[in-house]
Structure formats: C-alpha cells, structure tokens
Amino acid sequence: DTEVTQTPKHLVMGMTNKKSLKCEQHMGHRAMYWYKQKAKKPPELMFVYSYEKLSINESVPSRFSPECPNSSLLNLHLHALQPEDSALYLCASSVRDRDLRGYTFGSGTRLTVV
Amino acid sequence: KQEVTQIPAALSVPEGENLVLNCSFTDSAIYNLQWFRQDPGKGLTSLLLIQSSQREQTSGRLNASLDKSSGRSTLYIAASQPGDSATYLCAPDQTGANNLFFGTGTRLTVIP
C-alpha cells in the first residue's frame, strides 16, 4: 500500500458544527503533515507530527485541533470554523521528518463552511 | 521568511514542445528542493527531489536543476504531452525537517 487516504473527500459544515477529517497511511511512515490550500494558492503547512508527537504548529487557530492516535492515523478536528476556512485540506506523510524518501500526499478533503 | 516565486504563472504550449519552468527562492540556505505536480482538485505528486549538494536530477522526460547560490531551480520537460497538463509547484526545504514551503505554481496546458 503506497497511498495516503483521506476521508471524507467533501465536507460541508455550519459554523457551529464539530467535524473531523481523517488521514490514514500504511506505509510505515513516521511523519505526517496537514496542509491547507486555498483556491489558486499553494499549500500552506499547518501541523507536523513526528513519531506521533506534534512537532510543528504553524500558528494555526485553536478551532483546528490535530490528533495522531497511532502511527497510521492522523485526524484534524474542526470546531466553530469560519467561512474563510473553506479550502482543500491535504494530508501527507514521509518516512521520517528528516528523511525525504516517499513524501506522499493524499487527494485531500474539500471543506466548505457555510 | 522564505519567498518562492515561479515564472511563468501559466503556460500553454503545443504537444511535443520542450519547455522550462522556473522557480526562484529568496533564502538560499536550503537542504533540498522538490518539484511536485498537482492536478485540479487533487493532491500533489512528487516528481523530483534535489539535495542541496546536487545540481540536477532526472526522471524520464523531466530534468530538474538547482543553483542554490543564486536561489534558482528549473524544471525541464521534454517532448510535452497533454497528460503533462497540471500545476507544477516547487518546494524548498529550509529546515531539513521536511517542512515544505511551496511556490506559487505554474499552470501548464499542453494542447494536443
């Protein structure tokens, strides 16, 4: 298995809702990443997990809460989002955070906040 | 903060042409640089990785070069095909920790 799987592919949520994005990989990668991509813009790094521990938080608002329950799974919990948070959320993984082999992206979750 | 610029922003070429995409970055203290392609509404696919000690990497019809001192990288695509149509992003890694900072991208259209 050489894929990063993200679910759901599309999500529409209200500003008062709580939802979660899920990312899964079974390649034995020990670094996992969340990126946010607005339309016609490059991806921007949000969080990095290394060996299931949060190593980077790029000043992301607390309404985004990451979680790495095990080495194969990465979640992004969403609460009280704003319409400007609508974007494509991309998950990626790599062998380790200082090893570029096999840097793999998922297809993303397209989030719309209404 | 690293600033990454890609020129041109968009490019349209007839099938079979060779083409060059440019990437420039303001902070030359990088560990490596990757080139990715992104199809509309999809994730990213890694194309080539150049370590800071290397000057170029090749994969099939793709060749990427890196001039770290001048803050530039180029992606050369030979004999372009309609399937090459996508947005191409360069991403230098400043930290060595695989935290990529993406360029603005070049949207390529190859016309059959």
Side-chain angles (χ1 to χ4, degrees):
Chain A
D1 186 353
T2 58
E3 290 186 346
V4 172
T5 303
Q6 290 189 244
T7 55
K9 293 193 183 305
H10 301 275
L11 178 63
V12 179
M13 62 184 289
M15 289 189 284
T16 58
N17 291 160
K18 286 185 181 181
K19 296 286 185 183
S20 296
L21 309 185
K22 179 180 173 182
C23 173
E24 201 163 1
Q25 56 86 17
H26 297 285
M27 296 178 280
H29 289 178
R30 303 309 297 272
M32 297 185 76
Y33 313 80
W34 280 115
Y35 285 84
K36 173 182 177 180
Q37 186 175 26
K38 301 282 282 183
K40 300 189 187 303
K41 298 289 187 182
E44 295 179 352
L45 184 66
M46 299 175 72
F47 302 105
V48 179
Y49 271 83
S50 178
Y51 290 87
E52 296 89 69
K53 293 193 187 321
L54 182 65
S55 62
I56 298 284
N57 176 341
E58 291 287 350
S59 303
V60 179
S62 60
R63 57 186 183 269
F64 295 91
S65 175
E67 178 197 21
C68 190
N70 60 59
S71 61
S72 299
L73 187 58
L74 184 66
N75 297 320
L76 185 62
H77 302 298
L78 314 172
H79 174 53
L81 294 193
Q82 303 297 311
E84 58 264 29
D85 296 322
S86 298
L88 181 67
Y89 288 84
L90 294 164
C91 174
S93 70
S94 65
V95 175
R96 288 183 297 276
D97 66 355
R98 292 179 187 273
D99 186 331
L100 284 171
R101 289 174 294 161
Y103 203 103
T104 306
F105 275 86
S107 297
T109 293
R110 185 161 299 281
L111 173 68
T112 303
V113 181
V114 297
Chain B
K1 182 181 177 183
Q2 177 78 277
E3 291 185 11
V4 185
T5 304
Q6 291 186 242
I7 295 172
L11 180 63
S12 185
V13 300
E15 182 177 1
E17 269 202 12
N18 303 326
L19 56 101
V20 175
L21 308 182
N22 297 291
C23 170
S24 61
F25 43 94
T26 54
D27 189 339
S28 61
I30 64 171
Y31 285 79
N32 54 67
L33 184 144
Q34 288 194 72
W35 282 91
F36 292 85
R37 71 171 276 170
Q38 185 174 29
D39 293 286
K42 302 291 186 183
L44 283 72
T45 301
S46 179
L47 297 173
L48 287 164
L49 163 67
I50 311 177
Q51 302 281 6
S52 61
S53 58
Q54 298 174 317
R55 293 196 65 84
E56 65 178 73
Q57 279 287 331
T58 298
S59 176
R61 294 183 294 109
L62 305 179
N63 176 277
S65 67
L66 175 64
D67 184 344
K68 190 177 145 181
S69 61
S70 67
R72 294 180 183 178
S73 177
T74 61
L75 179 67
Y76 175 81
I77 302 177
S80 57
Q81 302 172 357
D84 295 331
S85 298
T87 296
Y88 289 80
L89 298 151
C90 70
D93 175 11
Q94 272 187 277
T95 66
N98 223 1
N99 304 328
L100 303 181
F101 190 88
F102 285 88
T104 48
T106 293
R107 181 175 295 181
L108 173 65
T109 303
V110 181
I111 304 166

